[in-house]
Amino acid sequence: MVDKRLPFNLEQIQKIASDYPTPFYLYDEKAIRNNARNLLAAFDWAEGFKEFFAVKATPNPHLLRLLNEEGFGADCSSKAELILCERVGIQGEEIMFTSNETTADEYQKAHELGAINNLDDITHIYFLKETTGLPELICLRYNPGPLREGNVIIGNPEDAKYGFTRDQLFEGFRKVKEKGVTRFALHTMVASNELNSDFFVETARMLFELAVELKSELGIQLEFVNLGGGIGIPYRPEEEPVDLQKVSAGIQACYQEVIVANDLHPLKIFMENGRMITGPYGYLITEALHEKHIYKEYIGVDACMSNLMRPGMYGAYHHISVLGKEDAPKEKTYDIVGSLCENNDKFAIDRDLPEIERGDLLVIHDAGAHGHSMGFQYNGKLRSAELLLCEDGSVKEIRRAETLDDYFATIDFSEFE
Ligand SMILES: *Cc1c(COP(=O)(O)O)cnc(C)c1O
C-alpha cells in the first residue's frame, strides 16, 4: 500500500486557484529534492553513479535546474530538449543524447553542447561521422530482442524499434574503435513503468556481462553502462514503490560478481529515469464543472485529455482525491470526464469517490511525469499552467497557461481580414 495523502489542503489550493485559474499542475519541490537525494544515496557505493533526468518527462527549465542542483544530468532526445538544457546551463557530459531517427541538425546541436552521443543504430555511426565527425566518447544502445521480455508500455524488446542487435553491437564497437573513438559506453532501456526491482538488477547483470565480453573479444574497456529509465511508480494505492535499496544492493552484488571479479572495476553506472523522479510529486488540479446523470454518473471537469493523456491513451490509472473530502466515505461511483469530443477523454471510469458537487476541486495524482509534457491541442483545448510549490511554501508560476493567441500563432489570418 502506498500513502496517497496530499501535501496540501483545500484552503491552500483555493488560495492558489484565486491567482491561477484551474486547471493547473502543481509540483512539490521539497518532495522532488528529497526523492533525488534518496536515489543518489541508494547508490553511494557506486563511484561516479549519475542519474540523467529524462527531460521528456517534465521539460521545464525550473525543474531541470532544481534537479541539476541535486547533481542530476539530463537525458535528451530532441533539439528542443537540448536547447532547454543549454538555457539552464547543463552541458557537456552532463547531457546524455539518447535519440532515435535523429536529424543532422540534432546531432549538430548535441555536438555543439558536447553531449554524450548514445547511438540508436549501427548506420548512425556513419551518419554521425559525416555530420559532425565521431567524438572521442561513444555510447551504443543495445536491444536484447528475444533475450529479454518487456512490459505493456514499451512492448517486447523484439518489437521495439530501438537499439542495436547483439551482433551489431560487437560490430559497432569494432567499427568505432577502428575509426578512432577512444572512450566507450553501453546503454539499454528495456522497461517502462516497471515495479519489479529484480528487473533492474537483471538489466545491470546483462550489461555487466556484455562489458566482460566486449573486453575479451574486442579489448574495449567500457567507461560506463547506462541502465536507462523505466523505474515505475505506484499509481494505484495498492501498489508498492520500487525498493531502491534492494535494486542497489542487487546491482552491487552483480558488480562484485561480474565487474570486480573480471578486473573491470571501475565501471560507472548511469541511469536516466524520468517517471520515478517527478511523477508522484506533480498533481493536476481541476474543478468539477458539471454533473450528468444518464446511463452512468458523470462528473465533467475543466481539465481534459489535452492536459493529461495517460488515462485516455493507455487506460492508465491515476488516483483522484476530492479536496476537503479526503476522508469522506466513497459512496458514489463516477466517470470523471473532460470536454474533448472523444469518448476516451476520461480521467477515471467507474471510480468510487465521495459525492462530488459542482465547484469541488479534484486532484489527479501522479501527474508529475509524462503529464503536462504529453499535452496537445486537439479540439482547440489549451495546455494549462505549471506551478511550483516551493520549499518555503510559496508558489511560483514556472509555465503560464496557453492563450488563444498562442493557439492561433501559427496561422496567417491576413487573407481573412
Ligand atoms: C522515456 C525514456 C526514459 C525515461 O523513462 P521513464 O519511464 O520516465 O523513467 C529514459 N530513457 C529513454 C531512452 C527514454 O526513451
Side-chain angles (χ1 to χ4, degrees), residues 75 96 98 117-120 138-144 162-164 169 173 185-190 203 206-207 210 222 224-229 270-272:
D75 170 45
M96 185 75 59
T98 302
N117 272 306
N118 182 16
L119 302 188
D120 183 66
I138 286 272
C139 184
L140 303 184
R141 179 172 188 168
Y142 176 47
N143 180 337
Y162 310 108
F164 290 56
L169 195 68
F173 276 118
L186 177 62
H187 168 277
T188 198
M189 164 123 180
V190 285
T203 298
M206 177 179 82
L207 295 185
L210 272 169
L222 295 181
F224 67 81
V225 291
N226 182 339
L227 311 182
F270 291 172
M271 282 188 178
E272 51 187 28

mmCIF file of all heavy atoms in Angstrom, residues 75 96 98 117-120 138-144 162-164 169 173 185-190 203 206-207 210 222 224-229 270-272:
data_model
loop_
_atom_site.group_PDB
_atom_site.id
_atom_site.type_symbol
_atom_site.label_atom_id
_atom_site.label_comp_id
_atom_site.label_asym_id
_atom_site.label_seq_id
_atom_site.Cartn_x
_atom_site.Cartn_y
_atom_site.Cartn_z
ATOM 1 N N ASP A 75 18.846 13.756 -19.739
ATOM 2 C CA ASP A 75 18.770 12.858 -20.885
ATOM 3 C C ASP A 75 17.835 13.488 -21.912
ATOM 4 O O ASP A 75 16.669 13.743 -21.620
ATOM 5 C CB ASP A 75 18.227 11.500 -20.412
ATOM 6 C CG ASP A 75 17.880 10.582 -21.569
ATOM 7 O OD1 ASP A 75 18.682 10.493 -22.501
ATOM 8 O OD2 ASP A 75 16.803 9.946 -21.526
ATOM 9 N N MET A 96 23.096 13.394 -21.714
ATOM 10 C CA MET A 96 23.088 12.150 -22.475
ATOM 11 C C MET A 96 22.118 12.398 -23.625
ATOM 12 O O MET A 96 20.967 12.772 -23.394
ATOM 13 C CB MET A 96 22.558 11.037 -21.566
ATOM 14 C CG MET A 96 22.585 9.649 -22.150
ATOM 15 S SD MET A 96 24.226 8.912 -22.200
ATOM 16 C CE MET A 96 24.683 8.935 -20.472
ATOM 17 N N THR A 98 20.165 10.593 -26.001
ATOM 18 C CA THR A 98 19.621 9.294 -26.380
ATOM 19 C C THR A 98 18.469 9.529 -27.350
ATOM 20 O O THR A 98 17.319 9.652 -26.940
ATOM 21 C CB THR A 98 19.109 8.528 -25.136
ATOM 22 O OG1 THR A 98 20.178 8.383 -24.208
ATOM 23 C CG2 THR A 98 18.593 7.150 -25.511
ATOM 24 N N ASN A 117 26.902 11.214 -26.980
ATOM 25 C CA ASN A 117 26.035 10.629 -28.001
ATOM 26 C C ASN A 117 25.783 9.166 -27.712
ATOM 27 O O ASN A 117 26.726 8.384 -27.601
ATOM 28 C CB ASN A 117 26.691 10.756 -29.387
ATOM 29 C CG ASN A 117 26.338 12.063 -30.050
ATOM 30 O OD1 ASN A 117 25.165 12.397 -30.190
ATOM 31 N ND2 ASN A 117 27.349 12.804 -30.453
ATOM 32 N N ASN A 118 24.526 8.825 -27.595
ATOM 33 C CA ASN A 118 24.121 7.434 -27.395
ATOM 34 C C ASN A 118 23.433 7.005 -28.681
ATOM 35 O O ASN A 118 22.300 7.404 -28.941
ATOM 36 C CB ASN A 118 23.189 7.373 -26.181
ATOM 37 C CG ASN A 118 22.748 5.966 -25.855
ATOM 38 O OD1 ASN A 118 23.330 4.993 -26.318
ATOM 39 N ND2 ASN A 118 21.711 5.861 -25.046
ATOM 40 N N LEU A 119 24.130 6.216 -29.507
ATOM 41 C CA LEU A 119 23.612 5.929 -30.846
ATOM 42 C C LEU A 119 22.584 4.802 -30.804
ATOM 43 O O LEU A 119 22.777 3.786 -30.143
ATOM 44 C CB LEU A 119 24.748 5.546 -31.795
ATOM 45 C CG LEU A 119 25.871 6.573 -31.964
ATOM 46 C CD1 LEU A 119 26.812 6.137 -33.088
ATOM 47 C CD2 LEU A 119 25.314 7.962 -32.258
ATOM 48 N N ASP A 120 21.518 5.007 -31.584
ATOM 49 C CA ASP A 120 20.398 4.067 -31.595
ATOM 50 C C ASP A 120 20.561 2.981 -32.654
ATOM 51 O O ASP A 120 19.887 1.960 -32.598
ATOM 52 C CB ASP A 120 19.093 4.832 -31.853
ATOM 53 C CG ASP A 120 17.874 3.920 -31.797
ATOM 54 O OD1 ASP A 120 17.603 3.418 -30.688
ATOM 55 O OD2 ASP A 120 17.239 3.697 -32.832
ATOM 56 N N ILE A 138 31.741 7.426 -27.336
ATOM 57 C CA ILE A 138 30.509 6.962 -27.986
ATOM 58 C C ILE A 138 29.833 5.919 -27.097
ATOM 59 O O ILE A 138 30.481 5.005 -26.586
ATOM 60 C CB ILE A 138 30.814 6.303 -29.364
ATOM 61 C CG1 ILE A 138 31.165 7.343 -30.413
ATOM 62 C CG2 ILE A 138 29.643 5.463 -29.832
ATOM 63 C CD1 ILE A 138 30.001 7.924 -31.162
ATOM 64 N N CYS A 139 28.523 6.089 -26.950
ATOM 65 C CA CYS A 139 27.721 5.103 -26.248
ATOM 66 C C CYS A 139 26.835 4.426 -27.289
ATOM 67 O O CYS A 139 26.330 5.084 -28.193
ATOM 68 C CB CYS A 139 26.873 5.803 -25.178
ATOM 69 S SG CYS A 139 25.907 4.685 -24.147
ATOM 70 N N LEU A 140 26.663 3.111 -27.204
ATOM 71 C CA LEU A 140 25.784 2.402 -28.126
ATOM 72 C C LEU A 140 24.613 1.794 -27.345
ATOM 73 O O LEU A 140 24.785 1.311 -26.224
ATOM 74 C CB LEU A 140 26.536 1.296 -28.869
ATOM 75 C CG LEU A 140 27.784 1.715 -29.677
ATOM 76 C CD1 LEU A 140 28.352 0.517 -30.440
ATOM 77 C CD2 LEU A 140 27.491 2.861 -30.648
ATOM 78 N N ARG A 141 23.448 1.859 -27.977
ATOM 79 C CA ARG A 141 22.227 1.380 -27.329
ATOM 80 C C ARG A 141 21.919 -0.049 -27.760
ATOM 81 O O ARG A 141 21.770 -0.329 -28.948
ATOM 82 C CB ARG A 141 21.063 2.310 -27.699
ATOM 83 C CG ARG A 141 19.739 1.881 -27.102
ATOM 84 C CD ARG A 141 18.648 2.914 -27.320
ATOM 85 N NE ARG A 141 17.457 2.523 -26.569
ATOM 86 C CZ ARG A 141 16.407 3.303 -26.361
ATOM 87 N NH1 ARG A 141 16.385 4.525 -26.873
ATOM 88 N NH2 ARG A 141 15.386 2.880 -25.665
ATOM 89 N N TYR A 142 21.810 -0.921 -26.785
ATOM 90 C CA TYR A 142 21.595 -2.346 -27.031
ATOM 91 C C TYR A 142 20.119 -2.710 -26.911
ATOM 92 O O TYR A 142 19.440 -2.267 -25.989
ATOM 93 C CB TYR A 142 22.418 -3.152 -26.014
ATOM 94 C CG TYR A 142 22.228 -4.643 -26.062
ATOM 95 C CD1 TYR A 142 22.258 -5.338 -27.272
ATOM 96 C CD2 TYR A 142 22.033 -5.386 -24.896
ATOM 97 C CE1 TYR A 142 22.089 -6.720 -27.311
ATOM 98 C CE2 TYR A 142 21.867 -6.761 -24.923
ATOM 99 C CZ TYR A 142 21.890 -7.420 -26.132
ATOM 100 O OH TYR A 142 21.718 -8.783 -26.159
ATOM 101 N N ASN A 143 19.645 -3.527 -27.855
ATOM 102 C CA ASN A 143 18.296 -4.100 -27.791
ATOM 103 C C ASN A 143 18.449 -5.618 -27.724
ATOM 104 O O ASN A 143 18.846 -6.234 -28.703
ATOM 105 C CB ASN A 143 17.499 -3.686 -29.033
ATOM 106 C CG ASN A 143 16.086 -4.254 -29.025
ATOM 107 O OD1 ASN A 143 15.800 -5.245 -28.367
ATOM 108 N ND2 ASN A 143 15.197 -3.611 -29.771
ATOM 109 N N PRO A 144 18.169 -6.203 -26.557
ATOM 110 C CA PRO A 144 18.410 -7.646 -26.411
ATOM 111 C C PRO A 144 17.420 -8.519 -27.173
ATOM 112 O O PRO A 144 17.613 -9.728 -27.256
ATOM 113 C CB PRO A 144 18.280 -7.870 -24.902
ATOM 114 C CG PRO A 144 17.402 -6.764 -24.432
ATOM 115 C CD PRO A 144 17.653 -5.591 -25.329
ATOM 116 N N TYR A 162 14.060 0.329 -30.985
ATOM 117 C CA TYR A 162 15.314 0.910 -30.513
ATOM 118 C C TYR A 162 16.505 -0.042 -30.547
ATOM 119 O O TYR A 162 16.362 -1.233 -30.377
ATOM 120 C CB TYR A 162 15.151 1.381 -29.066
ATOM 121 C CG TYR A 162 13.941 2.232 -28.837
ATOM 122 C CD1 TYR A 162 12.851 1.738 -28.140
ATOM 123 C CD2 TYR A 162 13.881 3.523 -29.349
ATOM 124 C CE1 TYR A 162 11.730 2.517 -27.931
ATOM 125 C CE2 TYR A 162 12.756 4.306 -29.151
ATOM 126 C CZ TYR A 162 11.681 3.798 -28.444
ATOM 127 O OH TYR A 162 10.571 4.561 -28.241
ATOM 128 N N GLY A 163 17.670 0.546 -30.703
ATOM 129 C CA GLY A 163 18.902 -0.139 -30.366
ATOM 130 C C GLY A 163 19.502 -1.064 -31.404
ATOM 131 O O GLY A 163 18.954 -1.286 -32.482
ATOM 132 N N PHE A 164 20.696 -1.571 -31.044
ATOM 133 C CA PHE A 164 21.477 -2.493 -31.868
ATOM 134 C C PHE A 164 21.147 -3.933 -31.468
ATOM 135 O O PHE A 164 20.956 -4.204 -30.287
ATOM 136 C CB PHE A 164 22.977 -2.331 -31.582
ATOM 137 C CG PHE A 164 23.635 -1.067 -32.046
ATOM 138 C CD1 PHE A 164 23.167 0.184 -31.668
ATOM 139 C CD2 PHE A 164 24.796 -1.128 -32.820
ATOM 140 C CE1 PHE A 164 23.817 1.346 -32.066
ATOM 141 C CE2 PHE A 164 25.452 0.027 -33.222
ATOM 142 C CZ PHE A 164 24.966 1.254 -32.852
ATOM 143 N N LEU A 169 26.056 -4.863 -32.118
ATOM 144 C CA LEU A 169 26.742 -4.182 -31.028
ATOM 145 C C LEU A 169 28.252 -4.447 -31.093
ATOM 146 O O LEU A 169 29.069 -3.523 -31.002
ATOM 147 C CB LEU A 169 26.170 -4.681 -29.702
ATOM 148 C CG LEU A 169 26.485 -3.865 -28.479
ATOM 149 C CD1 LEU A 169 25.784 -2.506 -28.556
ATOM 150 C CD2 LEU A 169 26.011 -4.606 -27.226
ATOM 151 N N PHE A 173 30.991 -1.576 -32.037
ATOM 152 C CA PHE A 173 32.139 -1.180 -31.207
ATOM 153 C C PHE A 173 33.454 -1.364 -31.964
ATOM 154 O O PHE A 173 34.357 -0.543 -31.868
ATOM 155 C CB PHE A 173 32.158 -1.962 -29.885
ATOM 156 C CG PHE A 173 31.268 -1.355 -28.826
ATOM 157 C CD1 PHE A 173 30.188 -2.056 -28.309
ATOM 158 C CD2 PHE A 173 31.516 -0.068 -28.337
ATOM 159 C CE1 PHE A 173 29.364 -1.497 -27.332
ATOM 160 C CE2 PHE A 173 30.693 0.491 -27.357
ATOM 161 C CZ PHE A 173 29.617 -0.218 -26.857
ATOM 162 N N ALA A 185 30.916 3.290 -24.208
ATOM 163 C CA ALA A 185 29.902 3.072 -23.183
ATOM 164 C C ALA A 185 28.720 2.328 -23.785
ATOM 165 O O ALA A 185 28.534 2.304 -25.008
ATOM 166 C CB ALA A 185 29.452 4.405 -22.597
ATOM 167 N N LEU A 186 27.928 1.736 -22.907
ATOM 168 C CA LEU A 186 26.848 0.850 -23.336
ATOM 169 C C LEU A 186 25.551 1.234 -22.628
ATOM 170 O O LEU A 186 25.546 1.521 -21.428
ATOM 171 C CB LEU A 186 27.250 -0.590 -22.973
ATOM 172 C CG LEU A 186 26.264 -1.715 -23.251
ATOM 173 C CD1 LEU A 186 25.979 -1.831 -24.754
ATOM 174 C CD2 LEU A 186 26.845 -3.035 -22.719
ATOM 175 N N HIS A 187 24.454 1.217 -23.396
ATOM 176 C CA HIS A 187 23.150 1.630 -22.875
ATOM 177 C C HIS A 187 22.094 0.599 -23.238
ATOM 178 O O HIS A 187 22.197 -0.064 -24.269
ATOM 179 C CB HIS A 187 22.771 2.978 -23.515
ATOM 180 C CG HIS A 187 21.351 3.417 -23.301
ATOM 181 N ND1 HIS A 187 20.299 2.968 -24.077
ATOM 182 C CD2 HIS A 187 20.805 4.273 -22.404
ATOM 183 C CE1 HIS A 187 19.166 3.537 -23.656
ATOM 184 N NE2 HIS A 187 19.441 4.326 -22.646
ATOM 185 N N THR A 188 21.100 0.484 -22.415
ATOM 186 C CA THR A 188 19.892 -0.233 -22.822
ATOM 187 C C THR A 188 18.706 0.352 -22.069
ATOM 188 O O THR A 188 18.875 1.003 -21.031
ATOM 189 C CB THR A 188 19.988 -1.752 -22.563
ATOM 190 O OG1 THR A 188 18.995 -2.421 -23.351
ATOM 191 C CG2 THR A 188 19.747 -2.106 -21.093
ATOM 192 N N MET A 189 17.516 0.157 -22.615
ATOM 193 C CA MET A 189 16.304 0.547 -21.891
ATOM 194 C C MET A 189 15.250 -0.451 -22.307
ATOM 195 O O MET A 189 14.751 -0.414 -23.428
ATOM 196 C CB MET A 189 15.904 1.974 -22.257
ATOM 197 C CG MET A 189 14.486 2.332 -21.861
ATOM 198 S SD MET A 189 14.409 3.755 -20.779
ATOM 199 C CE MET A 189 12.621 3.864 -20.551
ATOM 200 N N VAL A 190 14.941 -1.368 -21.423
ATOM 201 C CA VAL A 190 14.052 -2.457 -21.814
ATOM 202 C C VAL A 190 12.748 -2.482 -21.023
ATOM 203 O O VAL A 190 11.963 -3.399 -21.161
ATOM 204 C CB VAL A 190 14.753 -3.837 -21.694
ATOM 205 C CG1 VAL A 190 15.723 -4.031 -22.839
ATOM 206 C CG2 VAL A 190 15.470 -3.993 -20.374
ATOM 207 N N THR A 203 18.838 -6.264 -15.635
ATOM 208 C CA THR A 203 19.337 -5.390 -16.709
ATOM 209 C C THR A 203 20.804 -5.044 -16.462
ATOM 210 O O THR A 203 21.625 -5.081 -17.382
ATOM 211 C CB THR A 203 18.487 -4.102 -16.784
ATOM 212 O OG1 THR A 203 17.151 -4.480 -17.103
ATOM 213 C CG2 THR A 203 19.005 -3.147 -17.847
ATOM 214 N N MET A 206 22.947 -8.037 -17.239
ATOM 215 C CA MET A 206 23.088 -8.218 -18.691
ATOM 216 C C MET A 206 24.173 -7.283 -19.254
ATOM 217 O O MET A 206 25.022 -7.711 -20.034
ATOM 218 C CB MET A 206 21.728 -7.924 -19.347
ATOM 219 C CG MET A 206 21.705 -7.990 -20.850
ATOM 220 S SD MET A 206 20.027 -7.655 -21.480
ATOM 221 C CE MET A 206 20.004 -5.860 -21.460
ATOM 222 N N LEU A 207 24.159 -6.029 -18.810
ATOM 223 C CA LEU A 207 25.151 -5.077 -19.330
ATOM 224 C C LEU A 207 26.546 -5.383 -18.774
ATOM 225 O O LEU A 207 27.540 -5.256 -19.498
ATOM 226 C CB LEU A 207 24.736 -3.637 -19.008
ATOM 227 C CG LEU A 207 23.450 -3.149 -19.693
ATOM 228 C CD1 LEU A 207 23.217 -1.674 -19.404
ATOM 229 C CD2 LEU A 207 23.477 -3.383 -21.200
ATOM 230 N N LEU A 210 27.968 -8.159 -20.742
ATOM 231 C CA LEU A 210 28.410 -7.671 -22.058
ATOM 232 C C LEU A 210 29.728 -6.918 -21.945
ATOM 233 O O LEU A 210 30.583 -7.017 -22.828
ATOM 234 C CB LEU A 210 27.342 -6.740 -22.657
ATOM 235 C CG LEU A 210 26.262 -7.422 -23.480
ATOM 236 C CD1 LEU A 210 25.130 -6.432 -23.773
ATOM 237 C CD2 LEU A 210 26.849 -7.940 -24.809
ATOM 238 N N LEU A 222 34.780 -0.563 -21.156
ATOM 239 C CA LEU A 222 33.703 0.424 -21.090
ATOM 240 C C LEU A 222 33.944 1.401 -19.942
ATOM 241 O O LEU A 222 34.461 1.029 -18.895
ATOM 242 C CB LEU A 222 32.344 -0.262 -20.882
ATOM 243 C CG LEU A 222 31.822 -1.174 -21.982
ATOM 244 C CD1 LEU A 222 30.459 -1.734 -21.577
ATOM 245 C CD2 LEU A 222 31.700 -0.434 -23.311
ATOM 246 N N PHE A 224 31.239 3.500 -18.877
ATOM 247 C CA PHE A 224 30.014 3.416 -18.072
ATOM 248 C C PHE A 224 28.994 2.518 -18.759
ATOM 249 O O PHE A 224 29.078 2.279 -19.972
ATOM 250 C CB PHE A 224 29.402 4.800 -17.803
ATOM 251 C CG PHE A 224 28.854 5.524 -19.015
ATOM 252 C CD1 PHE A 224 27.595 5.232 -19.537
ATOM 253 C CD2 PHE A 224 29.602 6.531 -19.638
ATOM 254 C CE1 PHE A 224 27.086 5.917 -20.640
ATOM 255 C CE2 PHE A 224 29.102 7.211 -20.752
ATOM 256 C CZ PHE A 224 27.843 6.906 -21.252
ATOM 257 N N VAL A 225 28.068 2.009 -17.961
ATOM 258 C CA VAL A 225 26.856 1.403 -18.518
ATOM 259 C C VAL A 225 25.680 2.247 -18.061
ATOM 260 O O VAL A 225 25.638 2.720 -16.924
ATOM 261 C CB VAL A 225 26.654 -0.071 -18.084
ATOM 262 C CG1 VAL A 225 27.702 -0.977 -18.702
ATOM 263 C CG2 VAL A 225 26.634 -0.220 -16.569
ATOM 264 N N ASN A 226 24.755 2.460 -18.981
ATOM 265 C CA ASN A 226 23.559 3.252 -18.689
ATOM 266 C C ASN A 226 22.368 2.297 -18.697
ATOM 267 O O ASN A 226 22.041 1.712 -19.728
ATOM 268 C CB ASN A 226 23.418 4.342 -19.758
ATOM 269 C CG ASN A 226 22.225 5.247 -19.509
ATOM 270 O OD1 ASN A 226 21.288 4.887 -18.801
ATOM 271 N ND2 ASN A 226 22.251 6.426 -20.113
ATOM 272 N N LEU A 227 21.752 2.125 -17.543
ATOM 273 C CA LEU A 227 20.652 1.161 -17.403
ATOM 274 C C LEU A 227 19.322 1.699 -17.921
ATOM 275 O O LEU A 227 18.307 1.023 -17.823
ATOM 276 C CB LEU A 227 20.469 0.773 -15.927
ATOM 277 C CG LEU A 227 21.698 0.354 -15.131
ATOM 278 C CD1 LEU A 227 21.290 -0.044 -13.715
ATOM 279 C CD2 LEU A 227 22.407 -0.799 -15.808
ATOM 280 N N GLY A 228 19.332 2.941 -18.424
ATOM 281 C CA GLY A 228 18.094 3.526 -18.936
ATOM 282 C C GLY A 228 17.212 4.003 -17.799
ATOM 283 O O GLY A 228 17.634 4.110 -16.639
ATOM 284 N N GLY A 229 15.960 4.300 -18.144
ATOM 285 C CA GLY A 229 14.993 4.723 -17.126
ATOM 286 C C GLY A 229 14.029 3.579 -16.881
ATOM 287 O O GLY A 229 14.437 2.416 -16.910
ATOM 288 N N PHE A 270 25.191 4.537 -14.808
ATOM 289 C CA PHE A 270 24.306 5.679 -15.061
ATOM 290 C C PHE A 270 22.864 5.186 -15.196
ATOM 291 O O PHE A 270 22.613 4.042 -15.566
ATOM 292 C CB PHE A 270 24.685 6.388 -16.375
ATOM 293 C CG PHE A 270 26.008 7.116 -16.356
ATOM 294 C CD1 PHE A 270 26.532 7.645 -17.537
ATOM 295 C CD2 PHE A 270 26.745 7.288 -15.188
ATOM 296 C CE1 PHE A 270 27.743 8.331 -17.555
ATOM 297 C CE2 PHE A 270 27.966 7.969 -15.193
ATOM 298 C CZ PHE A 270 28.462 8.487 -16.385
ATOM 299 N N MET A 271 21.947 6.102 -14.904
ATOM 300 C CA MET A 271 20.526 5.844 -15.141
ATOM 301 C C MET A 271 19.908 7.078 -15.770
ATOM 302 O O MET A 271 20.470 8.175 -15.673
ATOM 303 C CB MET A 271 19.794 5.558 -13.826
ATOM 304 C CG MET A 271 19.991 4.167 -13.292
ATOM 305 S SD MET A 271 18.885 3.929 -11.886
ATOM 306 C CE MET A 271 19.269 2.240 -11.513
ATOM 307 N N GLU A 272 18.760 6.914 -16.387
ATOM 308 C CA GLU A 272 18.079 8.063 -16.985
ATOM 309 C C GLU A 272 16.578 7.945 -16.739
ATOM 310 O O GLU A 272 15.791 7.850 -17.669
ATOM 311 C CB GLU A 272 18.418 8.187 -18.482
ATOM 312 C CG GLU A 272 18.217 6.921 -19.263
ATOM 313 C CD GLU A 272 18.707 7.006 -20.710
ATOM 314 O OE1 GLU A 272 19.627 7.774 -21.010
ATOM 315 O OE2 GLU A 272 18.144 6.267 -21.532
#
